[in-house]
Amino acid sequence: MGTPISYATLPLPTSAQGQKPNSVTTTKPPVLPPLAAGTGADSPASTPLPITAGTTVTQELMAALYGEGLHPEADSRIANGASIADVQLGRAYPFYSGRHQVLKELPTMEKQFRYHAGRRLTEQERNTIAVDVARKHYSDETGYSNATPKEILAWGNEKKNSVRLATADFDLTFSPVKPISVLWALGNEEMRKTIEAVHNECVSACLDWLDETALRTRCEVNGVKKLTRTRGLIAAQFVHYGPRSGAPDLHTHCLVSNKVQGPDGQWRSVDSLSLMKSAVTVSTYYNALIKIRGEISWSLSNLYRVADFFEVDITDLLPHRVPQTQETPGSLSRTEGSNLVAGAGFEPTTSGL
């Protein structure tokens, strides 16, 4: 997974009566109110599942939430006596097999293992099951019976990639206009910290706005499904400083989980249409915020340095768009999900970077 990242749960109600939620930042992470568990028979909605903002996320925590739809800290909770049902956040992600028999058998075997072991599979256990299940199908299709586990796993992954995948997250990418990234690269340590702090504040404000305005789920009210607010979003944040081309490009990827809790305490999926409709708006909001905060936070002399670097008039830096350096295809490793690009000096789309 690389460098550990941080995830934060945005504002949650402070009580069942729906009092105004407190703002949450990752600079001084508080312990948030408890979130309810999934809807399984052994997992009533009242079971507390607190998620702490600012927690450092490992590969295992990412795999639990984004890979299996479980509480991010599922492994530690299961080790302390919780069951799989206790940490399941609503329905499990659907698994699509297409017309591949191997993809029909694989989730069944994994489910049987979890049932008997009472825990998540390790990466090694998952690979072992995949090889055992896929070996016969690989041999039948290729006529080769002496394949290595690596070859069989690669073949199985090709089958997975050929079918529809469940949406586990939405990638919102926040990036300031190019002069700010150049200013970050050319400035001293104090300037870099100032720019990163301003950028992080703007990202947090945008996520807060999305939580208040755009994050919705569908709940049944009097027999009719309606869009309702949620009890907050869960987002894993990756801070990057440049593409593989080497050009300075400060930006943050926010992987918004497709697991949200409705006002009734049940875990459901995000209404993606409501979120995507707000992509352009949140992009504009981010650009406006970083322009306002930036003019206050960094000095005129520093802006002149960037103006000289670009050979442009200083008044053209922040109020107007500056062409972005195109990232190399494949330069971003991302989890499955829709992708929204915000604040990158161009109108956001759902096609990714």
Side-chain angles (χ1 to χ4, degrees), residues 120-162:
R120 292 179 57 248
L121 283 71
T122 65
E123 183 178 359
Q124 181 60 47
E125 290 167 342
R126 193 181 300 277
N127 288 341
T128 299
I129 291 175
V131 171
D132 291 342
V133 171
R135 183 176 292 280
K136 178 181 182 301
H137 297 284
Y138 177 90
S139 178
D140 292 342
E141 181 174 303
T142 64
Y144 182 56
S145 58
N146 295 319
T148 64
K150 184 177 181 179
E151 292 172 326
I152 295 175
L153 288 175
W155 176 83
N157 286 331
E158 288 182 0
K159 299 298 182 184
K160 286 185 178 181
N161 293 335
S162 69

Side-chain angles (χ1 to χ4, degrees), residues 57-349:
V57 179
T58 61
Q59 180 176 351
E60 288 73 23
L61 274 75
M62 287 288 291
L65 176 61
Y66 295 95
E68 301 182 49
L70 305 178
H71 188 285
E73 299 166 353
D75 290 342
S76 62
R77 293 172 182 276
I78 291 173
N80 289 328
S83 66
I84 289 288
D86 291 333
V87 296
Q88 179 70 52
L89 303 183
R91 295 180 180 177
Y93 291 129
F95 196 94
Y96 301 98
S97 60
R99 291 176 292 181
H100 304 296
Q101 185 62 30
V102 63
L103 298 184
K104 294 180 181 179
E105 297 177 9
L106 187 57
T108 301
M109 296 299 295
E110 291 182 353
K111 186 175 181 179
Q112 289 179 0
F113 182 97
R114 285 196 301 269
Y115 176 80
H116 292 291
R119 58 174 174 80
R120 292 179 57 248
L121 283 71
T122 65
E123 183 178 359
Q124 181 60 47
E125 290 167 342
R126 193 181 300 277
N127 288 341
T128 299
I129 291 175
V131 171
D132 291 342
V133 171
R135 183 176 292 280
K136 178 181 182 301
H137 297 284
Y138 177 90
S139 178
D140 292 342
E141 181 174 303
T142 64
Y144 182 56
S145 58
N146 295 319
T148 64
K150 184 177 181 179
E151 292 172 326
I152 295 175
L153 288 175
W155 176 83
N157 286 331
E158 288 182 0
K159 299 298 182 184
K160 286 185 178 181
N161 293 335
S162 69
V163 301
R164 178 184 177 186
L165 298 175
T167 299
D169 65 85
F170 302 88
D171 183 0
L172 283 70
T173 305
F174 296 92
S175 177
V177 291
K178 183 58 70 177
I180 297 179
S181 290
V182 175
L183 177 59
W184 170 84
L186 297 179
N188 56 27
E189 184 68 18
E190 181 181 358
M191 177 54 58
R192 283 194 291 271
K193 289 182 178 180
T194 299
I195 293 176
E196 290 175 18
V198 171
H199 169 70
N200 292 335
E201 289 174 9
C202 294
V203 171
S204 295
C206 287
L207 291 179
D208 197 359
W209 181 87
L210 283 170
D211 177 53
E212 291 282 341
T213 309
L215 193 70
R216 298 291 182 266
T217 189
R218 291 187 176 274
C219 293
E220 188 170 311
V221 181
N222 297 325
V224 179
K225 284 194 173 183
K226 297 182 178 181
L227 288 177
T228 62
R229 288 197 58 189
T230 72
R231 292 190 177 183
L233 62 81
I234 307 173
Q237 297 185 22
F238 298 81
V239 180
H240 292 171
Y241 301 98
R244 291 180 180 177
S245 63
D249 183 15
L250 174 66
H251 60 283
T252 298
H253 296 278
C254 300
L255 302 186
V256 177
S257 172
N258 199 20
K259 293 290 186 180
V260 290
Q261 193 179 35
D264 58 358
Q266 303 301 318
W267 286 88
R268 296 180 175 87
S269 61
V270 172
D271 181 71
S272 58
L273 184 60
S274 298
L275 188 62
M276 290 183 180
K277 280 183 176 179
S278 301
V280 174
T281 305
V282 76
S283 173
T284 304
Y285 184 45
Y286 171 84
N287 284 328
L289 284 176
I290 201 163
K291 176 181 182 296
I292 294 171
R293 288 288 288 111
E295 290 175 340
I296 297 172
S297 299
W298 40 75
S299 67
L300 192 62
S301 61
N302 284 305
L303 292 180
Y304 272 114
R305 292 180 63 192
V306 180
D308 290 341
F309 182 88
F310 278 97
E311 297 182 350
V312 298
D313 190 275
I314 190 171
T315 59
D316 293 331
L317 286 180
L318 292 180
H320 304 286
R321 296 177 181 180
V322 175
Q324 289 284 104
T325 301
Q326 185 67 33
E327 291 204 50
T328 305
S331 62
L332 170 65
S333 176
R334 64 176 186 242
T335 61
E336 178 62 16
S338 301
N339 298 276
L340 312 177
V341 184
F346 52 84
E347 189 171 284
T349 68

